[in-house]
Amino acid sequence: MKSIGLFGIFLLVLGYVTPLYAIQQSFNIVNDGMIELFLTNFGFEKEGVLDLTVKNWMYNGKLWTPNDHDRNLDAFIIKITNTDTHSLFDKVERSEDFRCFLLENDYFGQQSDFIVIKIQDPKLTQFNLKLGVNHPTGFYNIFHMNCLNNSVSFQLDLNMYNVDKFGNPIFVSAGKNQLPLIYALFAGFYLLLLVVWIFVFIRAAHWKVNRTHTIILSVIISNTLVLVFAGISEHYSLQMNSKFTMAIVFYDIFTISSTLLFFGLIAVIANRFIDNEIELKKVFGAITAIEVLVSLVSLIIGEITIASQAWLTLKDICQVVDFLCCVGMVLYFTRALKELNKAFDRDSLLPKKFELFKQFYKYIVVYIAVTRVVLFFVNALLSSNLVWFEIFSKEMVKYIFYCTIAYKFNPSEENVYVNMLTTEEEEIKMHGLESPTTHEMIIHTDIDTNTNINTNTTQITEEPSEELTHTI
C-alpha cells in the first residue's frame, strides 16, 4: 500500500514539473452544410491571446474566392459570454432564414459581444487577437455560419492561451489553472481516508471484515488514482500525442473502475436489506452495464474535438441516460423500503435493520439529487473564472458521501451493519436474547414411594433453582 502511494505521488510531481504547451486545436471540416456549427470555446482573461488560421477554404469542393456579397454569407463568429454556452442564439426558435438575414446584414459585427471573421483569402486567412482593456473577459465561443446554400470545407487551426501577472503564458482556459491543485488536494483527502480505513477500522476488526468493507477499500484506492492521473493529464488533455498519453489512459481506466465499484458497493450493501437477491442482481446488473457504457462514451467524447452537432447531442444523451439510471435505482430502493416497512410491522425483530436501510436510502437520494440536479444548474451559471468550482463541488460531494458510507458501514464491533446476521439464531442474538443452546436443561426427579410411577420433568430455565435435586 505504501508503494502505491509513493508511485502516485511520483507521477503527480512528475506531471507538475513537466513544461506545458499551448492549447492547439485543429479542425478539418469537410463538406459541411450546417448553417450554425459550434467549434469550441475558451475562457480568456486580460492579455489573453487567440490566434485563428483558416486554410484551404473550399466551396463545393473547389478553392473559391468569394465576392463581397458572398463573403457576408459565410463567416466565423466569436460570441463572448460570461457562462459556458454552445448556442449562438439565445432563442432556438429563430428560423434559419432569420439567422442568415442577421449574418448578411452584418448584425453580429455591430454588437460588442460578437467578433466576425470573414474569409479574405481561401488559401490562408489569419486572425490574431490579444485581449486589451477594451476586450471583455469570459468565454469566447467560436462558431462557423454558412448561408451559401452549399457545403464548404476548410482547415481551422487555433492557438489560445492566457497570461499571468508575471507575463508567463497559462495554457489552460480561465478558471482551470486551479484544477491540478484541486485534484492534488482531494487525492490527499482520499489518502487520509485510506489510512484511517485500514489502520483504524480494518486492522482493529479484521475478523469482521466482509465483502462490503473490501469494496469500500477498493473504492477509496480507485478514486485516489483517478485524482492522481487527472492532476497529471489536465495539463495535457488536448495534447494526445504527448508522452503523458498513458496518464490519460490510466485516468480513463480508473474512472470506469470507480463507476463499477460505486454501483457494486451500493448493490452489496442493499443485498443485506433486500430479500429478493435475484431481482437485485438483475436491476443493478442492467444499471451498472448502462452506466459503464455511458462513462466510456463520455470519456471518448471528452477527448475528441467538438465541431459537430452529433457531439453535443451525444453528450446530452449521456447526461440524460445517467440521470434516468440513477432515478431508476432510487425508485427501486423506494419500493424495497416500503416492503421492508411492511415486514417491520409484522416482525418486531427488524427495527434496526429498517432504520439503517432508511438512512442508506436517504444518503443515495441526497447524493444523486446534489450531483445530478443541483450541481448541474449551479455549474450552468458559473463564469469563466469560476469553472474550477464545478470540479471542486463534485469531488467534495463525492468525498463526503464516501466518508459517510465508510463510517456508517465500518467493521467495528458496535456497528449495526456488522451485527446484522442472516440466520435466525444470529437475529435473536442481535436483539439481546440468548440462544436455546446456552440454556441449561433441568431434569426434576420426584420419587414417590406411595406410587408406582416415577415422574421425570425437564424444564428450561434462565437461572437454576435451589430446590432442584438433579441438574444436567
Side-chain angles (χ1 to χ4, degrees):
M1 197 63 61
K2 183 178 179 181
S3 60
I4 294 177
L6 292 176
F7 177 69
I9 294 174
F10 168 75
L11 290 177
L12 193 63
V13 173
L14 187 61
Y16 291 157
V17 301
T18 304
L20 303 178
Y21 300 92
I23 294 181
Q24 297 178 344
Q25 300 187 45
S26 295
F27 302 87
N28 190 19
I29 306 299
V30 179
N31 295 329
D32 175 61
M34 295 179 59
I35 291 181
E36 177 186 335
L37 175 64
F38 174 72
L39 296 170
T40 187
N41 62 6
F42 190 85
F44 281 103
E45 298 174 342
K46 293 298 182 183
E47 305 297 327
V49 175
L50 186 154
D51 289 327
L52 182 148
T53 303
V54 181
K55 300 178 182 178
N56 299 325
W57 190 86
M58 306 179 72
Y59 175 78
N60 200 18
K62 299 179 180 180
L63 286 175
W64 179 62
T65 302
N67 55 38
D68 292 339
H69 178 264
D70 293 336
R71 190 175 288 115
N72 292 331
L73 298 178
D74 188 279
F76 294 91
I77 298 177
I78 301 176
K79 181 181 180 181
I80 306 172
T81 58
N82 290 325
T83 58
D84 192 359
T85 180
H86 296 158
S87 177
L88 183 59
F89 297 91
D90 295 332
K91 297 181 179 180
V92 296
E93 66 270 16
R94 288 178 174 172
S95 65
E96 295 182 354
D97 293 338
F98 181 73
R99 285 181 281 178
C100 289
F101 172 80
L102 295 178
L103 178 64
E104 184 178 2
N105 291 273
D106 198 26
Y107 165 81
F108 301 104
Q110 301 173 15
Q111 307 299 317
S112 60
D113 54 346
F114 285 94
I115 299 176
V116 180
I117 305 171
K118 299 180 180 180
I119 301 298
Q120 301 298 329
D121 185 349
K123 293 183 178 180
L124 181 63
T125 298
Q126 292 182 317
F127 173 80
N128 178 270
L129 173 66
K130 182 176 182 180
L131 274 69
V133 178
N134 297 327
H135 293 94
T137 60
F139 285 103
Y140 279 56
N141 308 278
I142 304 175
F143 298 85
H144 174 250
M145 285 198 67
N146 174 18
C147 294
L148 293 170
N149 296 323
N150 212 326
S151 61
V152 297
S153 303
F154 58 87
Q155 179 181 340
L156 175 66
D157 296 329
L158 292 171
N159 183 16
M160 302 174 289
Y161 59 90
N162 289 298
V163 180
D164 63 14
K165 59 182 179 180
F166 301 106
N168 300 318
I170 302 175
F171 303 113
V172 290
S173 181
K176 290 187 176 182
N177 52 327
Q178 295 91 348
L179 290 185
L181 178 61
I182 293 175
Y183 286 132
L185 178 65
F186 280 100
F189 286 165
Y190 275 102
L191 285 175
L192 178 62
L193 179 61
L194 180 64
V195 172
V196 172
W197 183 251
I198 293 176
F199 294 99
V200 175
F201 293 113
I202 299 296
R203 295 188 64 178
H206 62 278
W207 61 279
K208 289 188 176 180
V209 174
N210 56 33
R211 183 171 53 177
T212 302
H213 308 118
T214 304
I215 295 179
I216 292 177
L217 176 64
S218 302
V219 166
I220 298 173
I221 295 175
S222 179
N223 280 275
T224 303
L225 293 175
V226 167
L227 292 166
V228 168
F229 289 111
I232 298 173
S233 62
E234 175 60 29
H235 295 300
Y236 306 95
S237 59
L238 298 177
Q239 296 291 325
M240 297 299 294
N241 59 344
S242 68
K243 61 180 179 180
F244 277 100
T245 301
M246 292 305 298
I248 301 175
V249 173
F250 284 129
Y251 168 77
D252 294 345
I253 291 174
F254 287 113
T255 298
I256 295 176
S257 300
S258 297
T259 302
L260 277 170
L261 291 170
F262 170 76
F263 289 98
L265 174 62
I266 295 177
V268 170
I269 294 177
N271 189 39
R272 301 298 294 268
F273 302 99
I274 301 175
D275 295 331
N276 195 337
E277 184 176 354
I278 298 178
E279 184 184 57
L280 178 69
K281 289 182 178 180
K282 290 181 179 179
V283 171
F284 271 88
I287 291 177
T288 303
I290 295 174
E291 284 288 351
V292 170
L293 180 61
V294 168
S295 180
L296 180 61
V297 174
S298 299
L299 290 171
I300 293 175
I301 65 177
E303 299 295 342
I304 62 177
T305 302
I306 303 176
S308 172
Q309 186 62 38
W311 184 93
L312 299 175
T313 303
L314 191 58
K315 182 180 178 181
D316 294 337
I317 291 176
C318 288
Q319 293 178 340
V320 172
V321 171
D322 173 63
F323 178 75
L324 292 178
C325 285
C326 292
V327 170
M329 180 176 63
V330 170
L331 293 177
Y332 177 72
F333 281 159
T334 302
R335 191 191 70 178
L337 187 64
K338 291 180 180 179
E339 293 177 354
L340 192 61
N341 190 21
K342 294 179 181 178
F344 171 70
D345 294 336
R346 299 189 303 267
D347 190 348
S348 62
L349 297 179
L350 293 175
K352 292 184 178 180
K353 181 177 181 180
F354 174 75
E355 185 63 28
L356 185 59
F357 183 60
K358 187 164 64 173
Q359 293 177 7
F360 175 67
Y361 170 79
K362 291 179 180 178
Y363 300 152
I364 298 297
V365 172
V366 172
Y367 175 76
I368 292 176
V370 173
T371 56
R372 266 66 176 184
V373 180
V374 177
L375 292 183
F376 175 81
F377 290 104
V378 171
N379 296 333
L381 302 175
L382 295 177
S383 59
S384 60
N385 59 340
L386 291 177
V387 292
W388 58 267
F389 184 76
E390 177 180 358
I391 302 298
F392 179 85
S393 56
K394 181 181 177 181
E395 294 298 334
M396 177 60 74
V397 172
K398 186 190 300 184
Y399 182 75
I400 293 175
F401 173 77
Y402 283 133
C403 285
T404 304
I405 294 297
Y407 175 76
K408 204 65 183 179
F409 299 96
N410 70 79
S412 60
E413 185 175 357
E414 63 275 8
N415 190 283
V416 177
Y417 180 74
V418 174
N419 296 315
M420 189 188 300
L421 306 175
T422 55
T423 64
E424 180 181 356
E425 178 183 346
E426 290 168 338
E427 289 180 351
I428 296 175
K429 184 178 180 180
M430 182 181 67
H431 289 273
L433 300 177
E434 294 182 30
S435 173
T437 58
T438 62
H439 297 169
E440 294 182 338
M441 299 181 63
I442 311 301
I443 300 178
H444 296 269
T445 305
D446 184 9
I447 303 176
D448 190 351
T449 58
N450 296 325
T451 61
N452 294 326
I453 300 175
N454 295 329
T455 304
N456 294 332
T457 305
T458 303
Q459 295 181 344
I460 300 177
T461 63
E462 294 294 333
E463 297 180 358
S465 174
E466 295 180 355
E467 298 179 358
L468 299 179
T469 59
H470 185 65
T471 303
I472 297 179

